[in-house]
Amino acid sequence: MLPAKRRARIIELLRTEHAASLRDMAEALDSSLSTVRRDVEYLCETGLLQRTHGGALLEPTALKTLEPTPEIASAIASAEKQAIGRRAAAMIQPGQTVIFDSGTTTAAAAVSARERNVPFTAVTNDLTIGSVLSGNAAIHTTVTGGYVRPGSATLLGAGAMQTLTRLRADIAFIGTHALTQEALSDTSIELAEIKSTILRAADRVVLLADSGKFFSTSFCTFGRLVDVHLIITDNKLPPEHAAAIRALGIPLEIVESAPVGLRGVA
Amino acid sequence: MLPAKRRARIIELLRTEHAASLRDMAEALDSSLSTVRRDVEYLCETGLLQRTHGGALLEPTALKTLEPTPEIASAIASAEKQAIGRRAAAMIQPGQTVIFDSGTTTAAAAVSARERNVPFTAVTNDLTIGSVLSGNAAIHTTVTGGYVRPGSATLLGAGAMQTLTRLRADIAFIGTHALTQEALSDTSIELAEIKSTILRAADRVVLLADSGKFFSTSFCTFGRLVDVHLIITDNKLPPEHAAAIRALGIPLEIVESAPVGLRGVA
DNA sequence: AAGATGTTCCAAAAAATTCCAAAAAGAATC
DNA sequence: GATTCTTTTTGGAATTTTTTGGAACATCTT
């Protein structure tokens, strides 16, 4: 079984059981105790699980959020996204207003931001991110309204636009489905509308994109790359791509994605 | 059994029993006196329990405020709420518009509604419920905007009100923190505002309340009991309470909750 | 004073941690 | 495409830590 799948199944298991011992999990997944232990440890670091002696509980916020797809859990759990998210969260200054665009990479940023314990105001159009941020009392979280597309946690439509158009933020963390030297693009018109509104609402636009997003295009363009003030990506980006971006005069920050399994405690 | 789970069960036990001796607890949980003693000691330190000679009581504030300490949160998704939710979800007709108030019982209704696969339009001010409902493509889900109170999934404030005041729904599933023969009440003014708006927006108001909510009061009143068209509760409601409600002419439906399997104390 | 309850220890059991070698997966080479 | 080599993942053993149940003794309640 794939590690990612195993982890997703752990989440799934916890969602129905609410709590489980490592021994039960190991048996249910038909793998060894050591492996399950490592998986649980990993999921704890991403903030999805809470460890207890002998087992684990689903983190209360995750209990709420993770309903739609276990895949989201494993998506956030990617080491690259975590590293990008951590770097992004480090930029937040006390008292600032920050927009979190919908997406898994921005969700990883939200997870890190929650752990930092810095007081700030957050605005998001993502149910997952809203839940994550509400876990820290120092963060004043606002969620845009809107309708939810089945299978996603993204808020779309007039309700979402209404909130975002009336807003001025210090930073916007934005995700994208694809980007080239010219443009940012995503998969639907509604998504593009929201994202371009976010771009206009923030003084400083920070694009969070893992290296897989570079130099591909998607259906709908929502902004120009030169309008982005900083790009954060992971160290799997080929040097020639990095050079191409930097040649445009756009600051590009490359974060080291930690070797997966271990990490002291941080 | 997991230590965390054992502690959650102690709370659960105290919640229904109001007080219990260490010996009874030990027997109910099938563990030794020493262990239970240590658990109770731990829960006392966290301020959830109050020790007495030979036993323990639930701290009065904890009883009312329902603070979802991580360990306890898992115990809350009780069989009663699921049964109530199932019954509520069965009422939804294809094509209707349904408001889901924020709360754990209404969330249980959302879970059942998602499984039913009936096409309808849902509106909610709860991030959890939004996530749950978005899992079924037949359901058109709208989430109100608003800010999120830390530690909860509830959307509050002007953003939420805006959506709800402009709405007409066929059914509203509403939760409450407490209810008497006269009034429904909850813990904060903002919550009360939202709930009373929901009451006005729906043709048919269905109150989902587990038996523990009856005949107690909370800080803020948000509506009269006679304005409710149907109450769904569980079979632990004392008959005299049920009679008192029915005497007001309010339909009261009592659902059977599956036996949990942890009753060991008279 | 007597019975029950609380304390303070201790040894057994369960779980966590740390390590290591085998297996699997990827990358690079021919 | 097969092959080596490297890296990652996995399962397990030895060791340390935590938890558990109980025994001996102190203390409270009646």
Side-chain angles (χ1 to χ4, degrees), chain B residues 131-155:
Chain B
S131 288
V132 168
L133 295 175
S134 76
N136 186 330
I139 305 171
H140 186 279
T141 310
T142 298
V143 178
T144 71
Y147 73 85
V148 193
R149 211 159 23 152
S152 86
T154 310
L155 293 163

PDB file of all heavy atoms in Angstrom, chain B residues 131-155:
ATOM      1  N   SER B 131     -18.624  21.718   4.919  1.00  0.00           N
ATOM      2  CA  SER B 131     -17.726  20.682   4.405  1.00  0.00           C
ATOM      3  C   SER B 131     -18.455  19.366   4.196  1.00  0.00           C
ATOM      4  O   SER B 131     -18.291  18.702   3.175  1.00  0.00           O
ATOM      5  CB  SER B 131     -16.570  20.440   5.374  1.00  0.00           C
ATOM      6  OG  SER B 131     -15.687  21.519   5.354  1.00  0.00           O
ATOM      7  N   VAL B 132     -19.249  19.009   5.163  1.00  0.00           N
ATOM      8  CA  VAL B 132     -19.976  17.741   5.083  1.00  0.00           C
ATOM      9  C   VAL B 132     -20.868  17.727   3.847  1.00  0.00           C
ATOM     10  O   VAL B 132     -20.836  16.799   3.044  1.00  0.00           O
ATOM     11  CB  VAL B 132     -20.834  17.525   6.347  1.00  0.00           C
ATOM     12  CG1 VAL B 132     -21.800  16.372   6.144  1.00  0.00           C
ATOM     13  CG2 VAL B 132     -19.955  17.270   7.546  1.00  0.00           C
ATOM     14  N   LEU B 133     -21.667  18.766   3.693  1.00  0.00           N
ATOM     15  CA  LEU B 133     -22.647  18.785   2.612  1.00  0.00           C
ATOM     16  C   LEU B 133     -21.994  18.886   1.241  1.00  0.00           C
ATOM     17  O   LEU B 133     -22.538  18.395   0.253  1.00  0.00           O
ATOM     18  CB  LEU B 133     -23.640  19.930   2.832  1.00  0.00           C
ATOM     19  CG  LEU B 133     -24.513  19.784   4.081  1.00  0.00           C
ATOM     20  CD1 LEU B 133     -25.384  21.017   4.273  1.00  0.00           C
ATOM     21  CD2 LEU B 133     -25.374  18.527   4.003  1.00  0.00           C
ATOM     22  N   SER B 134     -20.840  19.522   1.186  1.00  0.00           N
ATOM     23  CA  SER B 134     -20.188  19.654  -0.120  1.00  0.00           C
ATOM     24  C   SER B 134     -19.727  18.301  -0.640  1.00  0.00           C
ATOM     25  O   SER B 134     -19.341  18.169  -1.791  1.00  0.00           O
ATOM     26  CB  SER B 134     -18.991  20.601  -0.023  1.00  0.00           C
ATOM     27  OG  SER B 134     -17.900  19.944   0.592  1.00  0.00           O
ATOM     28  N   GLY B 135     -19.776  17.301   0.193  1.00  0.00           N
ATOM     29  CA  GLY B 135     -19.371  15.964  -0.233  1.00  0.00           C
ATOM     30  C   GLY B 135     -20.384  15.271  -1.121  1.00  0.00           C
ATOM     31  O   GLY B 135     -20.092  14.231  -1.692  1.00  0.00           O
ATOM     32  N   ASN B 136     -21.549  15.834  -1.257  1.00  0.00           N
ATOM     33  CA  ASN B 136     -22.551  15.223  -2.132  1.00  0.00           C
ATOM     34  C   ASN B 136     -22.931  16.204  -3.233  1.00  0.00           C
ATOM     35  O   ASN B 136     -23.419  17.302  -2.976  1.00  0.00           O
ATOM     36  CB  ASN B 136     -23.790  14.856  -1.308  1.00  0.00           C
ATOM     37  CG  ASN B 136     -24.816  14.091  -2.134  1.00  0.00           C
ATOM     38  OD1 ASN B 136     -24.922  14.288  -3.342  1.00  0.00           O
ATOM     39  ND2 ASN B 136     -25.562  13.223  -1.479  1.00  0.00           N
ATOM     40  N   ALA B 137     -22.725  15.777  -4.472  1.00  0.00           N
ATOM     41  CA  ALA B 137     -22.941  16.665  -5.618  1.00  0.00           C
ATOM     42  C   ALA B 137     -24.411  17.011  -5.813  1.00  0.00           C
ATOM     43  O   ALA B 137     -24.747  17.983  -6.485  1.00  0.00           O
ATOM     44  CB  ALA B 137     -22.374  16.037  -6.894  1.00  0.00           C
ATOM     45  N   ALA B 138     -25.303  16.226  -5.228  1.00  0.00           N
ATOM     46  CA  ALA B 138     -26.735  16.503  -5.392  1.00  0.00           C
ATOM     47  C   ALA B 138     -27.173  17.689  -4.545  1.00  0.00           C
ATOM     48  O   ALA B 138     -28.214  18.273  -4.765  1.00  0.00           O
ATOM     49  CB  ALA B 138     -27.541  15.263  -5.017  1.00  0.00           C
ATOM     50  N   ILE B 139     -26.368  18.034  -3.563  1.00  0.00           N
ATOM     51  CA  ILE B 139     -26.726  19.114  -2.649  1.00  0.00           C
ATOM     52  C   ILE B 139     -26.048  20.411  -3.073  1.00  0.00           C
ATOM     53  O   ILE B 139     -24.835  20.447  -3.266  1.00  0.00           O
ATOM     54  CB  ILE B 139     -26.302  18.770  -1.201  1.00  0.00           C
ATOM     55  CG1 ILE B 139     -26.914  17.429  -0.784  1.00  0.00           C
ATOM     56  CG2 ILE B 139     -26.733  19.865  -0.244  1.00  0.00           C
ATOM     57  CD1 ILE B 139     -26.384  16.895   0.535  1.00  0.00           C
ATOM     58  N   HIS B 140     -26.852  21.434  -3.244  1.00  0.00           N
ATOM     59  CA  HIS B 140     -26.297  22.748  -3.576  1.00  0.00           C
ATOM     60  C   HIS B 140     -26.100  23.493  -2.259  1.00  0.00           C
ATOM     61  O   HIS B 140     -27.057  23.888  -1.608  1.00  0.00           O
ATOM     62  CB  HIS B 140     -27.269  23.494  -4.486  1.00  0.00           C
ATOM     63  CG  HIS B 140     -26.720  24.784  -4.993  1.00  0.00           C
ATOM     64  ND1 HIS B 140     -26.724  25.936  -4.247  1.00  0.00           N
ATOM     65  CD2 HIS B 140     -26.120  25.099  -6.154  1.00  0.00           C
ATOM     66  CE1 HIS B 140     -26.165  26.898  -4.935  1.00  0.00           C
ATOM     67  NE2 HIS B 140     -25.782  26.429  -6.109  1.00  0.00           N
ATOM     68  N   THR B 141     -24.853  23.648  -1.871  1.00  0.00           N
ATOM     69  CA  THR B 141     -24.561  24.177  -0.545  1.00  0.00           C
ATOM     70  C   THR B 141     -24.097  25.623  -0.586  1.00  0.00           C
ATOM     71  O   THR B 141     -23.187  25.963  -1.337  1.00  0.00           O
ATOM     72  CB  THR B 141     -23.440  23.348   0.118  1.00  0.00           C
ATOM     73  OG1 THR B 141     -23.770  21.977   0.015  1.00  0.00           O
ATOM     74  CG2 THR B 141     -23.285  23.734   1.577  1.00  0.00           C
ATOM     75  N   THR B 142     -24.728  26.459   0.206  1.00  0.00           N
ATOM     76  CA  THR B 142     -24.264  27.830   0.377  1.00  0.00           C
ATOM     77  C   THR B 142     -23.838  28.023   1.826  1.00  0.00           C
ATOM     78  O   THR B 142     -24.517  27.574   2.740  1.00  0.00           O
ATOM     79  CB  THR B 142     -25.388  28.833   0.034  1.00  0.00           C
ATOM     80  OG1 THR B 142     -25.749  28.666  -1.324  1.00  0.00           O
ATOM     81  CG2 THR B 142     -24.924  30.251   0.260  1.00  0.00           C
ATOM     82  N   VAL B 143     -22.711  28.677   1.998  1.00  0.00           N
ATOM     83  CA  VAL B 143     -22.227  28.970   3.345  1.00  0.00           C
ATOM     84  C   VAL B 143     -22.300  30.469   3.557  1.00  0.00           C
ATOM     85  O   VAL B 143     -21.897  31.236   2.680  1.00  0.00           O
ATOM     86  CB  VAL B 143     -20.777  28.472   3.520  1.00  0.00           C
ATOM     87  CG1 VAL B 143     -20.252  28.810   4.898  1.00  0.00           C
ATOM     88  CG2 VAL B 143     -20.695  26.979   3.268  1.00  0.00           C
ATOM     89  N   THR B 144     -22.838  30.881   4.685  1.00  0.00           N
ATOM     90  CA  THR B 144     -22.866  32.308   4.981  1.00  0.00           C
ATOM     91  C   THR B 144     -21.445  32.753   5.280  1.00  0.00           C
ATOM     92  O   THR B 144     -20.621  31.961   5.696  1.00  0.00           O
ATOM     93  CB  THR B 144     -23.716  32.615   6.227  1.00  0.00           C
ATOM     94  OG1 THR B 144     -23.023  32.137   7.381  1.00  0.00           O
ATOM     95  CG2 THR B 144     -25.072  31.957   6.144  1.00  0.00           C
ATOM     96  N   GLY B 145     -21.185  34.021   5.096  1.00  0.00           N
ATOM     97  CA  GLY B 145     -19.880  34.534   5.493  1.00  0.00           C
ATOM     98  C   GLY B 145     -19.884  34.803   6.981  1.00  0.00           C
ATOM     99  O   GLY B 145     -20.807  34.407   7.690  1.00  0.00           O
ATOM    100  N   GLY B 146     -18.860  35.485   7.426  1.00  0.00           N
ATOM    101  CA  GLY B 146     -18.822  35.871   8.834  1.00  0.00           C
ATOM    102  C   GLY B 146     -17.497  35.576   9.461  1.00  0.00           C
ATOM    103  O   GLY B 146     -16.619  35.023   8.822  1.00  0.00           O
ATOM    104  N   TYR B 147     -17.354  35.967  10.711  1.00  0.00           N
ATOM    105  CA  TYR B 147     -16.098  35.640  11.371  1.00  0.00           C
ATOM    106  C   TYR B 147     -16.288  34.409  12.231  1.00  0.00           C
ATOM    107  O   TYR B 147     -17.392  34.074  12.632  1.00  0.00           O
ATOM    108  CB  TYR B 147     -15.559  36.833  12.168  1.00  0.00           C
ATOM    109  CG  TYR B 147     -16.284  37.151  13.435  1.00  0.00           C
ATOM    110  CD1 TYR B 147     -15.963  36.491  14.616  1.00  0.00           C
ATOM    111  CD2 TYR B 147     -17.277  38.125  13.472  1.00  0.00           C
ATOM    112  CE1 TYR B 147     -16.635  36.772  15.797  1.00  0.00           C
ATOM    113  CE2 TYR B 147     -17.939  38.412  14.638  1.00  0.00           C
ATOM    114  CZ  TYR B 147     -17.626  37.739  15.799  1.00  0.00           C
ATOM    115  OH  TYR B 147     -18.274  38.004  16.966  1.00  0.00           O
ATOM    116  N   VAL B 148     -15.204  33.729  12.475  1.00  0.00           N
ATOM    117  CA  VAL B 148     -15.253  32.460  13.184  1.00  0.00           C
ATOM    118  C   VAL B 148     -14.779  32.675  14.609  1.00  0.00           C
ATOM    119  O   VAL B 148     -13.704  33.221  14.831  1.00  0.00           O
ATOM    120  CB  VAL B 148     -14.323  31.432  12.524  1.00  0.00           C
ATOM    121  CG1 VAL B 148     -14.617  30.047  13.062  1.00  0.00           C
ATOM    122  CG2 VAL B 148     -14.491  31.457  11.019  1.00  0.00           C
ATOM    123  N   ARG B 149     -15.568  32.248  15.550  1.00  0.00           N
ATOM    124  CA  ARG B 149     -15.110  32.341  16.921  1.00  0.00           C
ATOM    125  C   ARG B 149     -14.073  31.260  17.164  1.00  0.00           C
ATOM    126  O   ARG B 149     -14.292  30.111  16.780  1.00  0.00           O
ATOM    127  CB  ARG B 149     -16.269  32.186  17.882  1.00  0.00           C
ATOM    128  CG  ARG B 149     -16.006  32.984  19.127  1.00  0.00           C
ATOM    129  CD  ARG B 149     -17.230  33.314  19.890  1.00  0.00           C
ATOM    130  NE  ARG B 149     -18.332  32.399  19.618  1.00  0.00           N
ATOM    131  CZ  ARG B 149     -19.267  32.154  20.506  1.00  0.00           C
ATOM    132  NH1 ARG B 149     -19.197  32.720  21.676  1.00  0.00           N
ATOM    133  NH2 ARG B 149     -20.268  31.363  20.225  1.00  0.00           N
ATOM    134  N   PRO B 150     -12.949  31.627  17.802  1.00  0.00           N
ATOM    135  CA  PRO B 150     -11.881  30.648  18.006  1.00  0.00           C
ATOM    136  C   PRO B 150     -12.403  29.372  18.663  1.00  0.00           C
ATOM    137  O   PRO B 150     -13.205  29.437  19.584  1.00  0.00           O
ATOM    138  CB  PRO B 150     -10.919  31.379  18.951  1.00  0.00           C
ATOM    139  CG  PRO B 150     -11.140  32.813  18.663  1.00  0.00           C
ATOM    140  CD  PRO B 150     -12.582  32.947  18.297  1.00  0.00           C
ATOM    141  N   GLY B 151     -11.968  28.271  18.159  1.00  0.00           N
ATOM    142  CA  GLY B 151     -12.336  26.995  18.743  1.00  0.00           C
ATOM    143  C   GLY B 151     -13.682  26.469  18.290  1.00  0.00           C
ATOM    144  O   GLY B 151     -14.079  25.378  18.646  1.00  0.00           O
ATOM    145  N   SER B 152     -14.370  27.245  17.492  1.00  0.00           N
ATOM    146  CA  SER B 152     -15.652  26.761  17.005  1.00  0.00           C
ATOM    147  C   SER B 152     -15.654  26.741  15.495  1.00  0.00           C
ATOM    148  O   SER B 152     -14.682  27.122  14.851  1.00  0.00           O
ATOM    149  CB  SER B 152     -16.784  27.657  17.502  1.00  0.00           C
ATOM    150  OG  SER B 152     -16.967  28.761  16.639  1.00  0.00           O
ATOM    151  N   ALA B 153     -16.756  26.299  14.924  1.00  0.00           N
ATOM    152  CA  ALA B 153     -16.878  26.288  13.474  1.00  0.00           C
ATOM    153  C   ALA B 153     -18.035  27.171  13.048  1.00  0.00           C
ATOM    154  O   ALA B 153     -18.505  27.113  11.928  1.00  0.00           O
ATOM    155  CB  ALA B 153     -17.078  24.866  12.984  1.00  0.00           C
ATOM    156  N   THR B 154     -18.485  27.981  13.962  1.00  0.00           N
ATOM    157  CA  THR B 154     -19.672  28.807  13.728  1.00  0.00           C
ATOM    158  C   THR B 154     -19.309  30.138  13.087  1.00  0.00           C
ATOM    159  O   THR B 154     -18.366  30.791  13.517  1.00  0.00           O
ATOM    160  CB  THR B 154     -20.376  29.092  15.072  1.00  0.00           C
ATOM    161  OG1 THR B 154     -20.559  27.877  15.765  1.00  0.00           O
ATOM    162  CG2 THR B 154     -21.699  29.770  14.844  1.00  0.00           C
ATOM    163  N   LEU B 155     -20.075  30.526  12.091  1.00  0.00           N
ATOM    164  CA  LEU B 155     -19.874  31.829  11.462  1.00  0.00           C
ATOM    165  C   LEU B 155     -20.827  32.837  12.085  1.00  0.00           C
ATOM    166  O   LEU B 155     -22.025  32.601  12.169  1.00  0.00           O
ATOM    167  CB  LEU B 155     -20.120  31.714   9.956  1.00  0.00           C
ATOM    168  CG  LEU B 155     -19.087  30.855   9.232  1.00  0.00           C
ATOM    169  CD1 LEU B 155     -19.589  30.430   7.879  1.00  0.00           C
ATOM    170  CD2 LEU B 155     -17.780  31.616   9.104  1.00  0.00           C
TER     171      LEU B 155
END
